[in-house]
Protein backbone atom coordinates (compact mmCIF):
# COMPACT_ATOMS: atom_id res chain seq x y z
CA UNK A 1 0.00 0.00 0.00
CA UNK A 2 1.27 3.47 -0.85
CA UNK A 3 2.42 5.47 2.15
CA UNK A 4 0.11 8.37 3.04
CA UNK A 5 1.66 11.74 2.08
CA UNK A 6 3.09 13.73 4.99
CA UNK A 7 0.78 16.64 4.37
CA UNK A 8 -2.56 16.71 2.62
CA UNK A 9 -4.72 19.70 1.81
CA UNK A 10 -8.35 19.28 2.76
CA UNK A 11 -11.47 20.68 1.09
CA UNK A 12 -11.08 23.94 3.08
CA UNK A 13 -7.48 24.41 2.02
CA UNK A 14 -6.20 23.40 5.48
CA UNK A 15 -3.02 21.37 5.83
CA UNK A 16 -3.54 18.04 7.55
CA UNK A 17 -0.78 15.70 8.73
CA UNK A 18 -0.55 11.98 8.11
CA UNK A 19 -3.04 11.32 10.90
CA UNK A 20 -5.44 13.79 9.33
CA UNK A 21 -4.94 16.40 12.04
CA UNK A 22 -5.08 20.12 11.56
CA UNK A 23 -3.39 22.67 13.82
CA UNK A 24 -4.00 26.42 13.85
CA UNK A 25 -0.28 27.17 14.11
CA UNK A 26 -0.90 28.94 17.45
CA UNK A 27 0.43 27.51 20.71
CA UNK A 28 -2.37 26.40 23.05
CA UNK A 29 -4.21 29.30 24.57
CA UNK A 30 -3.38 30.14 28.18
CA UNK A 31 -5.32 32.87 29.93
CA UNK A 32 -3.25 36.02 30.56
CA UNK A 33 -3.47 35.53 34.35
CA UNK A 34 -0.78 32.88 33.82
CA UNK A 35 1.66 35.25 32.10
CA UNK A 36 4.95 35.85 33.85
CA UNK A 37 5.28 38.77 34.45
CA UNK A 38 1.64 39.78 34.55
CA UNK A 39 0.61 42.19 31.82
CA UNK A 40 -2.31 44.19 33.23
CA UNK A 41 -3.50 45.88 30.01
CA UNK A 42 -3.61 42.40 28.42
CA UNK A 43 -5.57 41.03 31.41
CA UNK A 44 -8.02 43.92 31.15
CA UNK A 45 -8.46 43.27 27.43
CA UNK A 46 -9.09 39.59 28.12
CA UNK A 47 -11.58 40.38 30.92
CA UNK A 48 -13.65 42.66 28.72
CA UNK A 49 -12.92 41.20 25.27
CA UNK A 50 -14.92 38.91 23.03
CA UNK A 51 -14.12 36.11 23.36
CA UNK A 52 -12.74 36.76 26.81
CA UNK A 53 -13.29 35.87 30.42
CA UNK A 54 -16.89 37.11 30.53
CA UNK A 55 -18.03 36.87 26.94
CA UNK A 56 -19.57 34.78 25.70
CA UNK A 57 -19.55 31.71 27.99
CA UNK A 58 -19.55 33.27 31.48
CA UNK A 59 -22.34 35.65 30.42
CA UNK A 60 -24.43 32.84 28.92
CA UNK A 61 -24.13 30.77 32.11
CA UNK A 62 -25.18 33.85 34.13
CA UNK A 63 -28.34 34.20 32.05
CA UNK A 64 -29.07 30.49 32.35
CA UNK A 65 -28.66 30.35 36.12
CA UNK A 66 -30.74 33.51 36.48
CA UNK A 67 -33.60 32.06 34.45
CA UNK A 68 -33.40 28.69 36.18
CA UNK A 69 -33.14 30.23 39.66
CA UNK A 70 -36.22 32.39 39.18
CA UNK A 71 -38.46 30.11 37.12
CA UNK A 72 -37.15 26.56 37.24
CA UNK A 73 -36.11 25.91 40.82
CA UNK A 74 -38.58 24.61 43.43
CA UNK A 75 -39.43 26.82 46.40
CA UNK A 76 -36.92 26.60 49.23
CA UNK A 77 -39.55 25.47 51.74
CA UNK A 78 -40.25 22.37 49.63
CA UNK A 79 -36.60 21.37 49.74
CA UNK A 80 -36.35 20.89 53.51
CA UNK A 81 -36.79 17.14 53.14
CA UNK A 82 -35.65 14.88 50.34
CA UNK A 83 -38.65 14.16 48.16
CA UNK A 84 -38.88 12.77 44.68
CA UNK A 85 -41.18 15.62 43.55
CA UNK A 86 -38.85 18.59 43.77
CA UNK A 87 -35.77 16.52 43.08
CA UNK A 88 -37.43 15.22 39.94
CA UNK A 89 -38.18 18.80 38.86
CA UNK A 90 -34.51 19.74 39.18
CA UNK A 91 -33.48 16.59 37.32
CA UNK A 92 -35.92 17.38 34.52
CA UNK A 93 -34.65 20.98 34.28
CA UNK A 94 -31.04 19.76 34.15
CA UNK A 95 -31.88 17.13 31.54
CA UNK A 96 -33.50 19.77 29.35
CA UNK A 97 -30.43 21.98 29.79
CA UNK A 98 -28.02 19.20 28.84
CA UNK A 99 -30.08 18.14 25.82
CA UNK A 100 -30.66 21.64 24.49
CA UNK A 101 -27.15 22.93 25.19
CA UNK A 102 -25.07 19.95 24.12
CA UNK A 103 -27.62 19.11 21.43
CA UNK A 104 -27.31 22.51 19.76
CA UNK A 105 -23.50 22.42 19.87
CA UNK A 106 -23.50 18.86 18.53
CA UNK A 107 -25.97 19.66 15.76
CA UNK A 108 -24.01 22.73 14.73
CA UNK A 109 -20.66 20.96 14.44
CA UNK A 110 -21.41 17.29 13.83
CA UNK A 111 -25.11 16.88 13.03
CA UNK A 112 -25.73 19.50 10.35
CA UNK A 113 -21.96 20.01 9.90
CA UNK A 114 -22.56 23.74 9.58
CA UNK A 115 -18.91 24.55 8.97
CA UNK A 116 -17.82 21.20 7.53
CA UNK A 117 -14.34 20.34 8.75
CA UNK A 118 -13.23 23.96 8.83
CA UNK A 119 -11.08 24.45 11.98
CA UNK A 120 -11.69 20.85 13.04
CA UNK A 121 -8.66 19.33 14.76
CA UNK A 122 -9.36 15.74 13.73
CA UNK A 123 -10.31 14.91 10.15
CA UNK A 124 -12.78 12.19 11.10
CA UNK A 125 -16.31 12.33 12.41
CA UNK A 126 -17.48 10.35 15.45
CA UNK A 127 -17.17 6.57 15.18
CA UNK A 128 -20.00 4.35 13.98
CA UNK A 129 -20.09 0.53 13.88
CA UNK A 130 -17.32 0.47 16.43
CA UNK A 131 -17.67 -2.09 19.22
CA UNK A 132 -15.49 0.04 21.56
CA UNK A 133 -18.57 2.15 22.22
CA UNK A 134 -21.96 1.30 23.70
CA UNK A 135 -24.48 0.62 20.93
CA UNK A 136 -21.40 0.53 18.62
CA UNK A 137 -21.91 4.26 18.13
CA UNK A 138 -19.73 6.92 19.71
CA UNK A 139 -22.37 9.66 19.80
CA UNK A 140 -25.07 7.45 21.38
CA UNK A 141 -22.53 6.01 23.82
CA UNK A 142 -21.54 9.56 24.82
CA UNK A 143 -25.18 10.66 25.11
CA UNK A 144 -25.93 7.71 27.40
CA UNK A 145 -23.09 8.51 29.81
CA UNK A 146 -23.96 12.21 29.76
CA UNK A 147 -27.43 11.32 31.10
CA UNK A 148 -25.80 9.44 33.99
CA UNK A 149 -23.68 12.54 34.59
CA UNK A 150 -26.78 14.73 34.67
CA UNK A 151 -28.24 12.47 37.36
CA UNK A 152 -25.12 12.83 39.50
CA UNK A 153 -24.92 16.61 38.94
CA UNK A 154 -28.58 16.77 40.05
CA UNK A 155 -27.74 14.65 43.11
CA UNK A 156 -25.13 17.17 44.24
CA UNK A 157 -27.42 20.11 43.49
CA UNK A 158 -30.33 18.59 45.43
CA UNK A 159 -28.09 17.80 48.41
CA UNK A 160 -26.84 21.40 48.50
CA UNK A 161 -30.34 22.86 48.07
CA UNK A 162 -31.47 20.67 50.96
CA UNK A 163 -28.62 22.19 52.98
CA UNK A 164 -29.69 25.75 52.09
CA UNK A 165 -33.33 24.93 52.91
CA UNK A 166 -32.34 23.63 56.33
CA UNK A 167 -30.12 26.61 57.02
CA UNK A 168 -26.87 24.77 57.73
CA UNK A 169 -25.04 25.84 54.57
CA UNK A 170 -22.74 28.84 55.06
CA UNK A 171 -24.53 31.69 53.32
CA UNK A 172 -23.35 34.86 51.59
CA UNK A 173 -25.95 37.59 51.34
CA UNK A 174 -25.48 39.58 48.10
CA UNK A 175 -27.29 42.62 49.58
CA UNK A 176 -24.79 42.78 52.45
CA UNK A 177 -21.66 41.80 50.50
CA UNK A 178 -22.21 42.67 46.83
CA UNK A 179 -18.50 42.91 45.95
CA UNK A 180 -17.65 39.65 47.67
CA UNK A 181 -20.61 38.07 45.87
CA UNK A 182 -19.18 39.14 42.47
CA UNK A 183 -15.58 38.19 43.33
CA UNK A 184 -16.66 34.74 44.46
CA UNK A 185 -18.58 34.27 41.20
CA UNK A 186 -15.44 35.21 39.26
CA UNK A 187 -13.33 32.84 41.35
CA UNK A 188 -15.47 29.81 40.56
CA UNK A 189 -13.96 29.05 37.11
CA UNK A 190 -10.50 29.07 38.71
CA UNK A 191 -11.61 26.85 41.58
CA UNK A 192 -13.24 24.42 39.16
CA UNK A 193 -10.10 24.08 37.07
CA UNK A 194 -7.85 23.80 40.11
CA UNK A 195 -10.08 20.99 41.38
CA UNK A 196 -10.22 19.42 37.91
CA UNK A 197 -6.43 19.30 37.59
CA UNK A 198 -6.02 17.34 40.82
CA UNK A 199 -8.89 14.93 40.37
CA UNK A 200 -7.77 14.41 36.78
CA UNK A 201 -4.26 13.48 37.93
CA UNK A 202 -5.84 11.17 40.49
CA UNK A 203 -7.91 9.29 37.91
CA UNK A 204 -4.84 8.92 35.71
CA UNK A 205 -3.35 6.76 38.48
CA UNK A 206 -3.28 3.40 36.73
CA UNK A 207 -5.74 1.43 38.89
CA UNK A 208 -8.28 4.27 38.70
CA UNK A 209 -7.58 4.85 35.03
CA UNK A 210 -8.23 1.21 34.18
CA UNK A 211 -11.39 1.10 36.27
CA UNK A 212 -12.87 4.53 35.64
CA UNK A 213 -11.16 7.09 33.41
CA UNK A 214 -10.53 4.76 30.44
CA UNK A 215 -14.18 5.32 29.52
CA UNK A 216 -13.70 9.04 28.89
CA UNK A 217 -10.49 8.33 26.98
CA UNK A 218 -12.18 6.01 24.51
CA UNK A 219 -12.91 9.35 22.87
CA UNK A 220 -9.68 10.20 21.10
CA UNK A 221 -11.60 12.05 18.44
CA UNK A 222 -13.81 14.12 20.72
CA UNK A 223 -17.20 15.67 20.05
CA UNK A 224 -19.54 17.82 22.18
CA UNK A 225 -21.24 14.82 23.81
CA UNK A 226 -17.84 13.34 24.75
CA UNK A 227 -17.41 15.97 27.45
CA UNK A 228 -19.65 14.27 30.00
CA UNK A 229 -19.06 10.74 28.70
CA UNK A 230 -17.55 9.45 31.92
CA UNK A 231 -17.80 6.48 34.25
CA UNK A 232 -20.27 7.26 37.10
CA UNK A 233 -17.41 7.17 39.61
CA UNK A 234 -15.66 9.84 37.55
CA UNK A 235 -18.88 11.88 37.51
CA UNK A 236 -18.99 11.61 41.31
CA UNK A 237 -15.40 12.85 41.61
CA UNK A 238 -15.77 15.45 38.85
CA UNK A 239 -18.89 17.13 40.24
CA UNK A 240 -17.50 17.07 43.80
CA UNK A 241 -16.13 20.57 43.08
CA UNK A 242 -19.65 21.70 44.04
CA UNK A 243 -19.01 20.65 47.65
CA UNK A 244 -16.83 23.73 48.13
CA UNK A 245 -20.06 25.56 49.01
CA UNK A 246 -20.39 23.44 52.17
CA UNK A 247 -17.26 25.20 53.41
CA UNK A 248 -17.15 28.60 51.68
CA UNK A 249 -20.06 30.96 52.44
CA UNK A 250 -21.92 31.25 49.16
CA UNK A 251 -25.27 32.09 47.66
CA UNK A 252 -27.20 29.30 45.89
CA UNK A 253 -26.47 31.19 42.64
CA UNK A 254 -22.77 30.45 43.16
CA UNK A 255 -23.56 26.80 43.66
CA UNK A 256 -25.73 26.77 40.54
CA UNK A 257 -23.04 28.53 38.49
CA UNK A 258 -20.45 26.01 39.68
CA UNK A 259 -22.72 23.12 38.71
CA UNK A 260 -23.88 24.59 35.40
CA UNK A 261 -20.36 25.36 34.27
CA UNK A 262 -19.14 21.91 35.29
CA UNK A 263 -22.02 20.26 33.43
CA UNK A 264 -22.28 22.46 30.33
CA UNK A 265 -18.67 23.54 29.84
CA UNK A 266 -17.39 20.14 28.61
CA UNK A 267 -19.61 20.33 25.51
CA UNK A 268 -17.67 23.43 24.48
CA UNK A 269 -14.24 22.16 25.54
CA UNK A 270 -14.72 18.83 23.72
CA UNK A 271 -16.23 20.27 20.55
CA UNK A 272 -13.07 19.36 18.63
CA UNK A 273 -13.14 22.67 16.73
CA UNK A 274 -10.78 25.62 17.14
CA UNK A 275 -13.34 28.19 16.03
CA UNK A 276 -17.06 28.49 15.61
CA UNK A 277 -17.39 29.91 12.11
CA UNK A 278 -20.50 31.85 11.13
CA UNK A 279 -20.18 32.48 7.41
CA UNK A 280 -17.27 34.26 5.73
CA UNK A 281 -16.98 37.23 8.07
CA UNK A 282 -17.65 36.06 11.59
CA UNK A 283 -15.82 33.49 13.69
CA UNK A 284 -15.60 32.93 17.41
CA UNK A 285 -12.32 31.55 18.69
CA UNK A 286 -12.82 28.46 20.79
CA UNK A 287 -9.19 27.57 21.61
CA UNK A 288 -9.71 24.09 23.02
CA UNK A 289 -6.55 22.59 21.60
CA UNK A 290 -5.11 22.11 25.08
CA UNK A 291 -7.66 19.47 26.09
CA UNK A 292 -7.75 18.00 22.58
CA UNK A 293 -4.04 17.23 23.04
CA UNK A 294 -4.81 15.55 26.35
CA UNK A 295 -7.16 13.15 24.54
CA UNK A 296 -4.54 12.63 21.84
CA UNK A 297 -1.53 11.95 24.12
CA UNK A 298 -3.07 11.10 27.55
CA UNK A 299 -0.09 12.17 29.67
CA UNK A 300 -0.06 15.92 28.95
CA UNK A 301 -2.37 18.85 29.73
CA UNK A 302 -4.25 17.52 32.75
CA UNK A 303 -5.59 20.96 33.56
CA UNK A 304 -7.25 23.81 31.75
CA UNK A 305 -6.08 27.17 30.46
CA UNK A 306 -6.49 29.27 33.61
CA UNK A 307 -4.47 27.31 36.15
CA UNK A 308 -0.66 27.17 36.01
CA UNK A 309 -0.37 23.59 37.30
CA UNK A 310 0.58 21.91 34.00
CA UNK A 311 3.21 24.60 33.54
CA UNK A 312 4.59 24.07 37.04
CA UNK A 313 4.63 20.28 36.89
CA UNK A 314 6.07 19.99 33.37
CA UNK A 315 3.02 18.46 31.70
CA UNK A 316 2.11 21.41 29.48
CA UNK A 317 2.11 20.47 25.79
CA UNK A 318 1.62 23.76 24.01
CA UNK A 319 0.87 22.20 20.64
CA UNK A 320 4.06 23.35 18.92
CA UNK A 321 6.43 20.93 17.11
CA UNK A 322 9.07 21.75 19.79
CA UNK A 323 6.72 20.61 22.52
CA UNK A 324 5.89 17.51 20.52
CA UNK A 325 9.58 16.69 20.18
CA UNK A 326 10.16 17.27 23.90
CA UNK A 327 7.41 14.86 24.98
CA UNK A 328 8.39 12.29 22.37
CA UNK A 329 11.95 12.27 23.76
CA UNK A 330 10.69 12.09 27.33
CA UNK A 331 8.46 9.18 26.43
CA UNK A 332 11.34 7.28 24.78
CA UNK A 333 13.64 7.93 27.76
CA UNK A 334 11.00 6.71 30.20
CA UNK A 335 10.36 3.59 28.14
CA UNK A 336 14.11 2.87 28.04
CA UNK A 337 14.45 3.36 31.80
CA UNK A 338 11.48 1.05 32.34
CA UNK A 339 13.02 -1.65 30.14
CA UNK A 340 16.34 -1.20 31.99
CA UNK A 341 14.61 -1.82 35.33
CA UNK A 342 12.90 -4.95 34.02
CA UNK A 343 16.14 -6.50 32.69
ZN1 LIG B 1 -11.90 15.20 28.13
ZN1 LIG C 1 -7.59 12.14 31.17
Amino acid sequence: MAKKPKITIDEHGQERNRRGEWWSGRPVFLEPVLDDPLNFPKIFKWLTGFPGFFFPWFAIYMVLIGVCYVWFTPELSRMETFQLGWMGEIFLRNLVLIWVWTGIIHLWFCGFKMQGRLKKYNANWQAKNNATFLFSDQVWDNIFWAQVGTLIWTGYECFLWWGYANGWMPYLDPAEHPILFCLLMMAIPFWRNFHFYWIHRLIHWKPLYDWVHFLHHKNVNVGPWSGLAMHPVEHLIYFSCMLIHVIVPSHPLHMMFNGFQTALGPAVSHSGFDEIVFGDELALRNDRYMHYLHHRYHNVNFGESNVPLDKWFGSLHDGTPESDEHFRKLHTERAKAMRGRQE
Side-chain angles (χ1 to χ4, degrees):
M1 209 169 80
K3 219 175 166 192
K4 277 190 185 171
K6 236 178 167 181
I7 301 283
T8 50
I9 305 293
D10 72 10
E11 65 280 19
H12 301 287
Q14 301 169 133
E15 284 188 0
R16 291 192 176 273
N17 67 16
R18 216 170 252 161
R19 290 173 56 115
E21 287 168 320
W22 168 82
W23 173 48
S24 68
R26 292 190 307 264
V28 299
F29 172 73
L30 295 175
E31 296 182 20
V33 279
L34 303 192
D35 284 355
D36 186 18
L38 288 177
N39 177 338
F40 289 100
K42 193 173 159 196
I43 292 178
F44 181 75
K45 217 172 137 193
W46 163 73
L47 279 173
T48 53
F50 187 96
F53 179 75
F54 286 110
F55 303 105
W57 306 113
F58 194 106
I60 295 174
Y61 298 137
M62 284 296 116
V63 171
L64 285 177
I65 60 166
V67 168
C68 290
Y69 180 73
V70 175
W71 287 295
F72 299 102
T73 299
E75 264 180 43
L76 204 58
S77 57
R78 286 177 61 206
M79 299 195 270
E80 281 173 16
T81 51
F82 289 117
Q83 269 163 358
L84 273 182
W86 66 266
M87 291 163 78
E89 285 169 34
I90 294 183
F91 181 51
L92 197 67
R93 173 250 272 165
N94 290 349
L95 266 186
V96 171
L97 277 168
I98 283 287
W99 273 94
V100 172
W101 178 264
T102 315
I104 289 175
I105 299 174
H106 171 81
L107 286 177
W108 175 273
F109 286 123
C110 309
F112 299 131
K113 302 188 171 86
M114 296 298 282
Q115 60 189 72
R117 296 190 300 166
L118 186 60
K119 312 287 179 186
K120 189 175 187 311
Y121 301 129
N122 192 303
N124 301 317
W125 297 101
Q126 272 67 45
K128 285 182 187 295
N129 303 318
N130 183 334
T132 314
F133 296 101
L134 277 182
F135 324 116
S136 295
D137 186 295
Q138 186 182 359
V139 173
W140 285 110
D141 164 284
N142 289 180
I143 290 176
F144 173 81
W145 292 114
Q147 310 313 299
V148 180
T150 309
L151 188 67
I152 289 167
W153 162 31
T154 306
Y156 276 112
E157 192 180 334
C158 290
F159 168 70
L160 294 168
W161 273 119
W162 171 75
Y164 283 115
N166 285 286
W168 57 258
M169 286 280 286
Y171 181 69
L172 180 81
D173 187 346
E176 259 178 60
H177 306 284
I179 294 175
L180 214 54
F181 177 90
C182 295
L183 287 178
L184 184 59
M185 205 60 103
M186 284 173 68
I188 286 173
F190 297 97
W191 156 247
R192 272 196 57 241
N193 287 332
F194 176 79
H195 173 271
F196 177 66
Y197 176 86
W198 290 110
I199 62 118
H200 196 183
R201 287 230 74 139
L202 174 75
I203 55 182
H204 267 265
W205 176 52
K206 195 160 179 341
L208 273 178
Y209 185 91
D210 292 347
W211 176 39
V212 169
H213 193 44
F214 78 96
L215 199 149
H216 185 63
H217 273 286
K218 282 186 195 176
N219 302 285
V220 177
N221 177 20
V222 289
W225 282 108
S226 309
L228 274 192
M230 301 172 187
H231 189 283
V233 173
E234 182 172 344
H235 286 130
L236 266 178
I237 304 174
Y238 176 65
F239 281 104
S240 69
C241 64
M242 293 173 74
L243 294 177
I244 187 84
H245 304 292
V246 174
I247 306 162
V248 175
S250 328
H251 188 273
L253 281 168
H254 294 116
M255 177 275 284
M256 286 176 79
F257 177 51
N258 196 345
F260 276 41
Q261 210 190 24
T262 308
L264 305 180
V268 183
S269 62
H270 290 78
S271 67
F273 283 78
D274 201 57
E275 286 182 21
I276 311 172
V277 182
F278 308 92
D280 292 339
E281 298 291 317
L282 200 64
L284 176 66
R285 271 177 66 170
N286 193 30
D287 282 311
R288 302 305 168 141
Y289 198 46
M290 188 173 175
H291 194 65
Y292 174 79
L293 287 173
H294 176 71
H295 279 263
R296 166 89 159 75
Y297 293 114
H298 290 204
N299 55 355
V300 297
N301 300 354
F302 295 96
E304 285 286 349
S305 56
N306 66 4
V307 284
L309 298 164
D310 277 303
K311 231 176 167 180
W312 290 351
F313 297 117
S315 52
L316 177 69
H317 188 316
D318 70 1
T320 57
E322 293 75 28
S323 216
D324 220 53
E325 186 58 31
H326 166 74
F327 282 104
R328 231 174 265 281
K329 259 192 196 150
L330 204 68
H331 186 74
T332 318
E333 277 165 22
R334 274 189 195 150
K336 247 192 214 160
M338 206 71 144
R339 271 203 303 276
R341 270 209 297 274
Q342 279 164 0
E343 275 163 16

